Amino acid sequence: MRVIKIDKKDWESGVGKLSGDYSLYGPVKQGAFHNFAPLEKGQMPDLDYVNTRMSPKSVVYPQCETMFEYTLDENQPDHHVNKEIPKDYSPRAILGIRPCDVKAIDLVNINFDNPEYQDPWWVQRRAALTTVALACNNPCSTCFCTSAGTGPFDDSSADVLLADMGDYYLAKVMTEKGEALVGKAGFDQDGSAEAGAIDDAAKAAEAKITSKIETDKLGDKVTTELYDADFWEDVAFACINCGTCTYLCPTCWCFDIQDEVQGTDGCRMRNWDTCMSALFTKHGTGHNPRPNKTARVRQRFMHKLKYYVDKYENGIACVGCGRCVQQCPVNIDIRRVCDLMNRFEPGKECA
Protein backbone atom coordinates (compact mmCIF):
# COMPACT_ATOMS: atom_id res chain seq x y z
CA MET A 1 0.00 0.00 0.00
CA ARG A 2 1.16 3.52 -0.72
CA VAL A 3 -0.42 6.95 -0.44
CA ILE A 4 -0.51 9.42 -3.29
CA LYS A 5 -1.85 12.96 -3.49
CA ILE A 6 -4.19 14.07 -6.25
CA ASP A 7 -4.89 17.77 -6.67
CA LYS A 8 -8.54 18.22 -7.64
CA LYS A 9 -7.51 20.41 -10.55
CA ASP A 10 -5.81 17.29 -11.98
CA TRP A 11 -8.71 14.93 -11.28
CA GLU A 12 -10.70 15.55 -14.47
CA SER A 13 -7.73 15.14 -16.79
CA GLY A 14 -6.69 11.94 -14.99
CA VAL A 15 -10.17 10.45 -15.28
CA GLY A 16 -10.19 11.43 -18.94
CA LYS A 17 -7.06 9.36 -19.51
CA LEU A 18 -8.79 6.30 -18.09
CA SER A 19 -11.62 6.28 -20.59
CA GLY A 20 -9.46 4.63 -23.24
CA ASP A 21 -8.62 1.68 -21.00
CA TYR A 22 -11.73 1.23 -18.87
CA SER A 23 -15.47 1.43 -19.08
CA LEU A 24 -16.11 3.95 -16.32
CA TYR A 25 -19.01 4.02 -13.88
CA GLY A 26 -19.74 6.59 -11.23
CA PRO A 27 -22.45 8.35 -9.23
CA VAL A 28 -24.61 10.70 -11.30
CA LYS A 29 -27.70 12.69 -10.42
CA GLN A 30 -30.88 11.10 -11.81
CA GLY A 31 -33.93 13.14 -10.84
CA ALA A 32 -34.00 13.50 -7.07
CA PHE A 33 -31.48 10.73 -6.47
CA HIS A 34 -27.95 9.72 -7.28
CA ASN A 35 -27.30 6.36 -8.89
CA PHE A 36 -24.31 4.65 -10.45
CA ALA A 37 -24.31 4.75 -14.24
CA PRO A 38 -21.89 4.41 -17.15
CA LEU A 39 -19.93 7.64 -17.65
CA GLU A 40 -19.89 9.05 -21.14
CA LYS A 41 -16.57 10.26 -22.48
CA GLY A 42 -15.79 13.54 -20.73
CA GLN A 43 -18.47 13.00 -18.07
CA MET A 44 -17.26 13.22 -14.47
CA PRO A 45 -18.66 11.27 -11.53
CA ASP A 46 -20.49 13.50 -9.06
CA LEU A 47 -18.42 12.91 -5.94
CA ASP A 48 -20.44 15.37 -3.88
CA TYR A 49 -23.18 12.79 -3.41
CA VAL A 50 -24.09 11.36 -0.01
CA ASN A 51 -25.37 7.93 -1.00
CA THR A 52 -27.00 6.43 -4.06
CA ARG A 53 -30.52 5.05 -4.05
CA MET A 54 -29.45 1.79 -5.73
CA SER A 55 -26.19 0.05 -4.95
CA PRO A 56 -23.62 -0.36 -7.76
CA LYS A 57 -23.75 -4.16 -7.68
CA SER A 58 -25.37 -4.17 -11.14
CA VAL A 59 -21.96 -3.34 -12.63
CA VAL A 60 -20.92 -6.89 -11.76
CA TYR A 61 -24.34 -8.50 -11.48
CA PRO A 62 -26.79 -6.98 -14.02
CA GLN A 63 -30.40 -6.62 -12.95
CA CYS A 64 -31.41 -8.41 -16.13
CA GLU A 65 -29.19 -10.31 -18.53
CA THR A 66 -29.74 -12.71 -21.39
CA MET A 67 -27.78 -15.90 -20.83
CA PHE A 68 -28.68 -18.04 -23.84
CA GLU A 69 -30.61 -17.96 -27.07
CA TYR A 70 -32.11 -20.84 -29.03
CA THR A 71 -34.45 -21.74 -31.81
CA LEU A 72 -37.39 -24.12 -31.73
CA ASP A 73 -37.41 -24.34 -35.53
CA GLU A 74 -36.71 -27.99 -36.21
CA ASN A 75 -35.60 -27.09 -39.72
CA GLN A 76 -32.50 -25.53 -38.15
CA PRO A 77 -29.58 -27.88 -37.41
CA ASP A 78 -29.03 -26.40 -33.96
CA HIS A 79 -32.66 -26.33 -32.86
CA HIS A 80 -33.35 -26.75 -29.12
CA VAL A 81 -29.69 -26.01 -28.31
CA ASN A 82 -28.85 -23.22 -25.87
CA LYS A 83 -26.18 -20.93 -27.30
CA GLU A 84 -24.40 -18.60 -24.87
CA ILE A 85 -24.77 -14.90 -25.54
CA PRO A 86 -21.36 -13.15 -25.87
CA LYS A 87 -20.69 -10.78 -22.98
CA ASP A 88 -18.41 -7.85 -22.32
CA TYR A 89 -15.58 -8.65 -19.91
CA SER A 90 -13.39 -5.70 -20.82
CA PRO A 91 -11.80 -3.71 -17.95
CA ARG A 92 -14.20 -1.50 -16.04
CA ALA A 93 -13.78 0.79 -13.07
CA ILE A 94 -16.24 2.20 -10.56
CA LEU A 95 -15.21 5.68 -9.42
CA GLY A 96 -16.58 6.97 -6.14
CA ILE A 97 -18.08 3.75 -4.83
CA ARG A 98 -18.54 3.84 -1.06
CA PRO A 99 -16.43 1.49 1.09
CA CYS A 100 -19.56 -0.32 2.30
CA ASP A 101 -20.61 -1.08 -1.27
CA VAL A 102 -17.18 -2.46 -2.12
CA LYS A 103 -17.38 -4.68 0.96
CA ALA A 104 -20.79 -5.83 -0.24
CA ILE A 105 -19.28 -7.11 -3.47
CA ASP A 106 -16.97 -9.28 -1.37
CA LEU A 107 -19.95 -10.64 0.55
CA VAL A 108 -21.90 -11.46 -2.61
CA ASN A 109 -18.81 -13.07 -4.08
CA ILE A 110 -19.15 -15.84 -1.50
CA ASN A 111 -22.32 -16.93 -3.24
CA PHE A 112 -21.10 -16.73 -6.83
CA ASP A 113 -17.46 -17.82 -6.52
CA ASN A 114 -16.74 -20.55 -4.01
CA PRO A 115 -15.12 -24.01 -4.05
CA GLU A 116 -18.40 -25.74 -4.93
CA TYR A 117 -19.71 -23.33 -7.54
CA GLN A 118 -18.39 -20.59 -9.78
CA ASP A 119 -20.75 -18.40 -11.75
CA PRO A 120 -18.67 -17.72 -14.89
CA TRP A 121 -20.28 -14.37 -15.66
CA TRP A 122 -19.89 -13.01 -12.14
CA VAL A 123 -16.31 -14.30 -11.88
CA GLN A 124 -15.20 -12.72 -15.16
CA ARG A 125 -16.92 -9.38 -14.52
CA ARG A 126 -15.44 -9.14 -11.04
CA ALA A 127 -11.99 -9.98 -12.38
CA ALA A 128 -12.37 -7.12 -14.86
CA LEU A 129 -13.42 -4.64 -12.16
CA THR A 130 -11.28 -2.03 -10.43
CA THR A 131 -12.84 -0.12 -7.56
CA VAL A 132 -11.92 3.44 -6.58
CA ALA A 133 -13.72 3.96 -3.29
CA LEU A 134 -14.60 7.36 -1.88
CA ALA A 135 -14.42 7.50 1.90
CA CYS A 136 -17.42 8.99 3.71
CA ASN A 137 -16.58 12.18 5.58
CA ASN A 138 -20.23 12.74 6.47
CA PRO A 139 -22.14 9.46 6.87
CA CYS A 140 -25.94 9.47 6.83
CA SER A 141 -27.89 9.25 10.07
CA THR A 142 -29.10 5.82 8.93
CA CYS A 143 -25.59 4.43 8.39
CA PHE A 144 -24.46 1.73 10.81
CA CYS A 145 -21.48 0.38 8.88
CA THR A 146 -19.06 0.49 11.83
CA SER A 147 -21.06 -2.22 13.59
CA ALA A 148 -21.63 -4.25 10.40
CA GLY A 149 -18.05 -5.21 9.65
CA THR A 150 -16.94 -2.19 7.65
CA GLY A 151 -16.65 1.59 8.06
CA PRO A 152 -16.63 4.98 6.31
CA PHE A 153 -12.89 4.70 5.55
CA ASP A 154 -12.68 0.90 5.24
CA ASP A 155 -9.93 0.09 2.73
CA SER A 156 -10.03 -3.69 3.04
CA SER A 157 -11.91 -4.37 -0.19
CA ALA A 158 -11.14 -1.40 -2.44
CA ASP A 159 -8.36 -1.23 -5.01
CA VAL A 160 -7.97 2.49 -4.27
CA LEU A 161 -9.46 4.49 -1.40
CA LEU A 162 -9.89 8.23 -1.95
CA ALA A 163 -10.10 10.56 1.01
CA ASP A 164 -11.43 14.05 0.26
CA MET A 165 -9.16 16.62 1.89
CA GLY A 166 -10.74 19.74 0.43
CA ASP A 167 -8.58 20.93 -2.44
CA TYR A 168 -7.08 17.52 -3.00
CA TYR A 169 -7.54 13.80 -2.49
CA LEU A 170 -5.25 11.48 -0.61
CA ALA A 171 -5.44 8.06 -2.23
CA LYS A 172 -4.46 4.78 -0.63
CA VAL A 173 -3.44 2.46 -3.45
CA MET A 174 -4.22 -0.99 -2.09
CA THR A 175 -3.78 -3.50 -4.93
CA GLU A 176 -2.04 -4.15 -8.24
CA LYS A 177 -5.26 -3.23 -9.99
CA GLY A 178 -5.22 0.06 -8.14
CA GLU A 179 -1.60 0.66 -9.12
CA ALA A 180 -2.45 0.04 -12.77
CA LEU A 181 -5.36 2.48 -12.67
CA VAL A 182 -3.53 5.38 -10.98
CA GLY A 183 -0.61 4.79 -13.34
CA LYS A 184 -2.85 5.11 -16.40
CA ALA A 185 -4.43 8.23 -14.92
CA GLY A 186 -1.01 9.76 -14.36
CA PHE A 187 -1.50 10.15 -10.61
CA ASP A 188 1.88 9.66 -8.94
CA GLN A 189 2.53 12.50 -6.48
CA ASP A 190 3.80 11.05 -3.22
CA GLY A 191 1.40 11.69 -0.36
CA SER A 192 3.04 9.63 2.35
CA ALA A 193 3.94 12.68 4.42
CA GLU A 194 0.23 13.43 4.82
CA ALA A 195 -0.98 9.86 5.32
CA GLY A 196 -1.80 10.53 8.97
CA ALA A 197 -4.53 12.92 7.85
CA ILE A 198 -6.47 9.94 6.52
CA ASP A 199 -6.50 8.30 9.94
CA ASP A 200 -7.63 11.55 11.53
CA ALA A 201 -10.44 11.93 9.00
CA ALA A 202 -11.47 8.31 9.54
CA LYS A 203 -11.76 8.77 13.28
CA ALA A 204 -13.80 11.95 12.79
CA ALA A 205 -16.16 10.18 10.37
CA GLU A 206 -16.57 7.12 12.58
CA ALA A 207 -17.43 9.38 15.50
CA LYS A 208 -20.37 10.73 13.51
CA ILE A 209 -21.93 7.28 13.22
CA THR A 210 -24.14 6.94 16.26
CA SER A 211 -26.41 4.25 14.85
CA LYS A 212 -25.17 0.78 15.72
CA ILE A 213 -26.34 -2.79 15.91
CA GLU A 214 -25.34 -5.66 18.20
CA THR A 215 -24.65 -8.98 16.49
CA ASP A 216 -22.47 -10.79 19.03
CA LYS A 217 -25.12 -13.32 20.11
CA LEU A 218 -26.61 -14.21 16.73
CA GLY A 219 -24.27 -17.14 16.11
CA ASP A 220 -25.16 -18.75 19.44
CA LYS A 221 -28.89 -18.68 18.88
CA VAL A 222 -30.68 -21.95 18.14
CA THR A 223 -31.97 -21.52 14.61
CA THR A 224 -35.30 -23.24 15.17
CA GLU A 225 -35.99 -21.21 18.31
CA LEU A 226 -35.22 -17.95 16.52
CA TYR A 227 -37.34 -19.10 13.59
CA ASP A 228 -40.29 -19.66 15.95
CA ALA A 229 -39.81 -16.41 17.89
CA ASP A 230 -43.00 -14.54 18.68
CA PHE A 231 -41.85 -11.18 17.28
CA TRP A 232 -42.09 -12.06 13.58
CA GLU A 233 -45.79 -11.25 13.32
CA ASP A 234 -45.10 -7.82 14.79
CA VAL A 235 -42.11 -7.20 12.50
CA ALA A 236 -44.09 -8.21 9.41
CA PHE A 237 -47.36 -6.47 10.35
CA ALA A 238 -46.80 -3.33 8.26
CA CYS A 239 -44.85 -5.00 5.43
CA ILE A 240 -46.45 -4.85 2.00
CA ASN A 241 -43.93 -7.23 0.42
CA CYS A 242 -43.00 -4.60 -2.15
CA GLY A 243 -39.41 -5.87 -2.32
CA THR A 244 -37.87 -2.39 -2.19
CA CYS A 245 -35.47 -3.52 0.54
CA THR A 246 -34.10 -6.39 -1.53
CA TYR A 247 -33.65 -4.46 -4.78
CA LEU A 248 -31.82 -1.65 -2.99
CA CYS A 249 -29.68 -3.97 -0.93
CA PRO A 250 -26.04 -4.34 -2.03
CA THR A 251 -25.81 -7.85 -0.56
CA CYS A 252 -29.03 -9.43 -1.87
CA TRP A 253 -28.24 -11.86 -4.66
CA CYS A 254 -31.42 -13.83 -5.40
CA PHE A 255 -32.41 -14.26 -9.02
CA ASP A 256 -34.97 -15.96 -11.23
CA ILE A 257 -34.45 -17.59 -14.63
CA GLN A 258 -37.12 -17.18 -17.27
CA ASP A 259 -37.52 -18.15 -20.90
CA GLU A 260 -39.06 -15.73 -23.36
CA VAL A 261 -40.18 -17.08 -26.72
CA GLN A 262 -41.47 -15.24 -29.75
CA GLY A 263 -42.44 -17.52 -32.63
CA THR A 264 -39.65 -20.08 -32.80
CA ASP A 265 -36.97 -17.82 -31.32
CA GLY A 266 -36.30 -17.93 -27.62
CA CYS A 267 -33.91 -16.65 -25.01
CA ARG A 268 -33.17 -17.53 -21.42
CA MET A 269 -32.78 -14.62 -19.03
CA ARG A 270 -31.58 -14.13 -15.48
CA ASN A 271 -33.35 -11.39 -13.51
CA TRP A 272 -32.97 -10.15 -9.95
CA ASP A 273 -35.72 -11.59 -7.81
CA THR A 274 -36.89 -11.01 -4.26
CA CYS A 275 -37.77 -13.30 -1.38
CA MET A 276 -40.52 -10.77 -0.60
CA SER A 277 -42.49 -12.04 -3.60
CA ALA A 278 -45.14 -14.72 -3.09
CA LEU A 279 -44.06 -16.33 -6.35
CA PHE A 280 -40.40 -16.58 -5.35
CA THR A 281 -40.73 -19.94 -3.63
CA LYS A 282 -43.95 -21.21 -5.21
CA HIS A 283 -43.43 -24.74 -6.49
CA GLY A 284 -44.73 -26.14 -9.75
CA THR A 285 -47.16 -28.22 -7.70
CA GLY A 286 -48.75 -25.06 -6.33
CA HIS A 287 -47.26 -25.58 -2.87
CA ASN A 288 -45.57 -22.54 -1.34
CA PRO A 289 -43.33 -23.10 1.71
CA ARG A 290 -43.53 -19.35 2.47
CA PRO A 291 -47.24 -18.77 1.89
CA ASN A 292 -47.67 -15.49 3.76
CA LYS A 293 -45.83 -12.21 4.29
CA THR A 294 -44.69 -13.11 7.79
CA ALA A 295 -42.85 -16.15 6.43
CA ARG A 296 -41.25 -14.04 3.70
CA VAL A 297 -40.20 -11.22 6.03
CA ARG A 298 -38.73 -13.76 8.42
CA GLN A 299 -36.78 -15.35 5.58
CA ARG A 300 -35.21 -12.03 4.62
CA PHE A 301 -33.92 -11.30 8.09
CA MET A 302 -33.04 -14.89 8.99
CA HIS A 303 -30.98 -15.15 5.81
CA LYS A 304 -29.01 -11.98 6.46
CA LEU A 305 -28.62 -12.24 10.20
CA LYS A 306 -28.66 -15.96 11.04
CA TYR A 307 -28.37 -18.42 8.12
CA TYR A 308 -25.47 -16.49 6.57
CA VAL A 309 -23.78 -16.11 9.94
CA ASP A 310 -23.97 -19.86 10.60
CA LYS A 311 -22.98 -20.96 7.10
CA TYR A 312 -20.00 -18.71 6.46
CA GLU A 313 -18.91 -17.62 9.96
CA ASN A 314 -18.06 -14.30 8.33
CA GLY A 315 -20.31 -11.87 10.16
CA ILE A 316 -23.70 -10.77 8.90
CA ALA A 317 -24.84 -10.38 5.29
CA CYS A 318 -25.30 -6.64 5.71
CA VAL A 319 -22.84 -3.75 5.41
CA GLY A 320 -24.91 -1.12 7.22
CA CYS A 321 -25.45 1.17 4.21
CA GLY A 322 -28.89 2.12 5.55
CA ARG A 323 -30.66 2.10 2.16
CA CYS A 324 -33.43 -0.23 3.30
CA VAL A 325 -33.96 1.94 6.40
CA GLN A 326 -34.25 5.07 4.26
CA GLN A 327 -36.46 3.69 1.52
CA CYS A 328 -38.83 1.22 3.21
CA PRO A 329 -42.31 2.70 2.65
CA VAL A 330 -43.58 1.36 5.98
CA ASN A 331 -40.48 2.08 8.09
CA ILE A 332 -39.36 -1.46 8.82
CA ASP A 333 -35.89 -1.05 10.28
CA ILE A 334 -33.29 -3.82 10.04
CA ARG A 335 -31.51 -2.33 13.06
CA ARG A 336 -34.55 -2.97 15.26
CA VAL A 337 -35.01 -6.48 13.88
CA CYS A 338 -31.34 -7.28 14.45
CA ASP A 339 -31.71 -6.10 18.03
CA LEU A 340 -34.76 -8.32 18.52
CA MET A 341 -32.88 -11.31 17.14
CA ASN A 342 -29.66 -10.67 19.02
CA ARG A 343 -31.28 -10.38 22.44
CA PHE A 344 -33.96 -13.01 21.86
CA GLU A 345 -34.33 -15.58 24.62
CA PRO A 346 -36.93 -18.34 24.24
CA GLY A 347 -39.89 -17.92 26.52
CA LYS A 348 -39.17 -14.27 27.28
CA GLU A 349 -40.98 -11.29 25.83
CA CYS A 350 -38.59 -9.61 23.39
CA ALA A 351 -40.54 -6.94 21.53
Side-chain angles (χ1 to χ4, degrees):
M1 190 277 289
R2 68 185 179 113
V3 176
I4 62 173
K5 183 175 181 179
I6 305 170
D7 283 322
K8 288 188 175 178
K9 61 181 176 53
D10 299 326
W11 172 250
E12 183 170 343
S13 62
V15 171
K17 294 174 185 174
L18 297 175
S19 60
D21 295 290
Y22 300 87
S23 297
L24 299 178
Y25 297 79
V28 297
K29 191 77 176 289
Q30 295 178 336
F33 300 93
H34 280 87
N35 276 315
F36 283 88
L39 301 176
E40 303 295 334
K41 189 173 182 178
Q43 184 181 13
M44 290 293 108
D46 182 357
L47 299 187
D48 289 329
Y49 81 110
V50 178
N51 204 0
T52 55
R53 182 167 56 171
M54 298 286 286
S55 84
K57 70 179 177 185
S58 61
V59 177
V60 190
Y61 176 38
Q63 187 168 357
C64 178
E65 68 176 327
T66 304
M67 301 187 296
F68 305 103
E69 61 181 3
Y70 52 83
T71 178
L72 304 178
D73 183 354
E74 296 189 0
N75 293 316
Q76 301 298 321
D78 58 352
H79 66 87
H80 293 85
V81 175
N82 279 322
K83 292 170 288 188
E84 186 175 350
I85 300 295
K87 294 181 171 56
D88 178 13
Y89 301 119
S90 60
R92 61 197 63 192
I94 307 179
L95 308 178
I97 184 174
R98 293 298 188 189
C100 59
D101 284 335
V102 190
K103 177 66 75 176
I105 293 175
D106 277 356
L107 292 183
V108 177
N109 190 66
I110 291 173
N111 183 62
F112 288 120
D113 186 9
N114 55 63
E116 292 79 31
Y117 176 76
Q118 296 84 44
D119 182 296
W121 305 312
W122 167 277
V123 170
Q124 293 180 81
R125 286 196 189 97
R126 187 163 185 258
L129 178 65
T130 302
T131 53
V132 180
L134 177 64
C136 297
N137 287 330
N138 295 295
C140 300
S141 62
T142 48
C143 291
F144 54 99
C145 55
T146 51
S147 55
T150 178
F153 278 65
D154 182 10
D155 58 18
S156 62
S157 297
D159 295 303
V160 178
L161 177 72
L162 291 179
D164 189 337
M165 296 295 163
D167 294 332
Y168 62 92
Y169 297 109
L170 289 176
K172 298 173 75 172
V173 185
M174 305 300 298
T175 67
E176 291 183 2
K177 282 184 178 179
E179 284 287 356
L181 183 140
V182 298
K184 289 174 179 174
F187 299 140
D188 197 35
Q189 181 180 353
D190 180 31
S192 58
E194 300 178 65
I198 300 177
D199 295 333
D200 293 340
K203 290 176 183 175
E206 290 169 1
K208 295 176 182 175
I209 298 177
T210 58
S211 179
K212 301 183 186 303
I213 57 172
E214 300 291 338
T215 62
D216 57 307
K217 299 176 183 176
L218 292 171
D220 296 331
K221 302 297 180 189
V222 177
T223 301
T224 51
E225 292 178 345
L226 201 52
Y227 182 92
D228 290 328
D230 58 3
F231 55 72
W232 292 117
E233 288 286 349
D234 177 62
V235 170
F237 177 76
C239 182
I240 56 175
N241 279 169
C242 65
T244 296
C245 50
T246 59
Y247 284 110
L248 297 170
C249 179
T251 66
C252 278
W253 60 55
C254 291
F255 61 83
D256 184 30
I257 293 177
Q258 297 182 356
D259 280 37
E260 292 191 0
V261 178
Q262 184 172 24
T264 58
D265 296 326
C267 65
R268 181 159 295 177
M269 308 180 71
R270 175 164 72 175
N271 307 307
W272 291 359
D273 204 347
T274 171
C275 55
M276 294 293 98
S277 166
L279 293 176
F280 182 69
T281 49
K282 190 170 185 178
H283 299 176
T285 62
H287 171 65
N288 194 335
R290 297 180 203 137
N292 54 59
K293 71 174 183 180
T294 299
R296 294 190 282 274
V297 169
R298 176 174 55 195
Q299 165 62 24
R300 167 171 161 73
F301 291 113
M302 285 290 284
H303 177 232
K304 289 192 171 299
L305 303 174
K306 180 56 179 171
Y307 302 148
Y308 182 94
V309 171
D310 291 348
K311 183 175 182 179
Y312 297 109
E313 299 181 340
N314 186 37
I316 58 176
C318 172
V319 293
C321 70
R323 288 185 177 92
C324 60
V325 179
Q326 290 177 330
Q327 302 297 332
C328 176
V330 294
N331 298 318
I332 294 176
D333 191 327
I334 191 173
R335 297 169 298 182
R336 173 178 175 265
V337 179
C338 185
D339 180 59
L340 289 170
M341 294 174 67
N342 194 61
R343 62 186 175 88
F344 170 73
E345 293 184 29
K348 294 185 178 180
E349 184 64 35
C350 199

